[in-house]
Amino acid sequence: MPQRPALFHRLRPISAVILAAASLAATSALAEIAIRDDTGRDVKLARPAARIVSLAPHVTELLFAAGAGERVVGAVAYSDYPEAARSLPRVGGYANVDMEAVAALKPDLVIAWKSGNRDAHLDKLAALGIPVFMNEPRNLDDVARSLETIGRLAGTEAAGRAAADAFRARKGALAARFGQRPRVRMFYQIWDKPLMTINDEHLISDVIRLCGGENVFGRLTQLAPTIGVESVLAADPEVIVASGMGEARPEWLDNWKRWPKLVATVRDNLYFVPPELIQRHTPRILDGATTLCEQLDKARGKRPAGN
């Protein structure tokens, strides 16, 4: 066998180093993440986030649903689902974030809530050089998209995509079952004092539409406007649905019985959906949607003959 030139043996190790470096560079390039958040800002990460702080309870829930629970190192108060989220270190509340606690956790990504977190807190995080991704779901499709995006940010793309696909399939089944049924005019009551509701831009209104409902205050300009009792009486909804703050049906829902001519009162269409099932931008909102859809269907069954 002919001898290879000495130069070949000297170049071989060098070539191996170059190939290894090129392979590493290619791997690094693939690991880089560039995503536009829900406010239109570009967020770039050198690699999938390994230490994530959540600044909203719904974000915490989305992270776990997208398979990234083990990467969450801190969360705000009321991050109580799933059970594993209860033991996470706390960094204050979504409206009063403890900036020192966030910094101490050394996150490589913070996921914030545009409508809930204060701009001053987010500006401080940016000043510290911590990447911040803003999440702001406004409809059910946004929930599915959030699952996919969070999966990309955390390097759990397969889990995020599977969760999104399951969400879309379940939403489609509800739409097929209830979406084409006769419209039900309804008033969704967030709170009693002040009396608050939601407009058609709110995520909950997307749930109402999914169930074949019509939000009587949908055309108001504010996302969560304060209204008067007189406005509700004038709208005369067929159904009133309340959420309140806890797991129990709020006592103030029955205050509408003071107006015996109100259609919702006459037909006993005063319903309750637990807030954690309809006010959080997570897969569980379809649990709340199922409850609401069944309530509106019950109201249809109470209509007088010919209506």
Side-chain angles (χ1 to χ4, degrees), residues 2 79 89 106 120 134 139 157 171 217 256 284 289 299 304-305:
S79 292
K106 299 180 179 179
M134 303 292 283
N139 55 54
E157 288 188 61
K171 177 199 167 191
F217 294 109
W256 294 107
R284 285 195 299 161

Side-chain angles (χ1 to χ4, degrees), residues 36-41 55-56 58-59 62 94 110-119 122 132-147 149-150 153 199 201-203 223-224 279-282:
R36 183 161 294 177
D37 72 10
D38 292 347
T39 66
R41 294 169 52 255
L55 298 190
H58 84 268
V59 169
L62 285 171
Y94 67 81
V110 168
I111 302 183
W113 178 27
K114 177 59 178 175
S115 292
N117 300 137
R118 294 180 179 176
D119 289 340
L122 303 178
V132 178
F133 181 91
M134 303 292 283
N135 180 249
E136 184 73 6
R138 286 293 179 89
N139 55 54
L140 293 170
D141 289 338
D142 284 347
V143 174
R145 181 179 50 76
S146 293
L147 289 165
T149 301
I150 286 173
L153 289 166
N199 73 1
E201 297 300 315
H202 199 286
L203 175 66
L223 193 64
Q279 292 186 7
R280 287 193 183 182
H281 318 60
T282 74

Side-chain angles (χ1 to χ4, degrees), residues 2-10:
Q3 292 288 327
R4 291 183 176 180
L7 180 60
F8 175 85
H9 296 286
R10 290 199 297 270

Side-chain angles (χ1 to χ4, degrees), residues 186-222:
M186 62 163 286
F187 162 49
Y188 182 85
Q189 184 176 355
I190 296 176
W191 196 243
D192 180 41
K193 293 180 181 178
L195 184 58
M196 296 182 67
T197 187
I198 44 99
N199 73 1
D200 274 344
E201 297 300 315
H202 199 286
L203 175 66
I204 295 170
S205 281
D206 205 26
V207 176
I208 292 171
R209 288 187 290 270
L210 177 71
C211 295
E214 177 185 343
N215 178 5
V216 297
F217 294 109
R219 294 185 180 181
L220 295 181
T221 55
Q222 287 182 292

Side-chain angles (χ1 to χ4, degrees), residues 3-20:
Q3 292 288 327
R4 291 183 176 180
L7 180 60
F8 175 85
H9 296 286
R10 290 199 297 270
L11 289 176
R12 188 177 180 184
I14 297 173
S15 299
V17 170
I18 292 172
L19 288 172

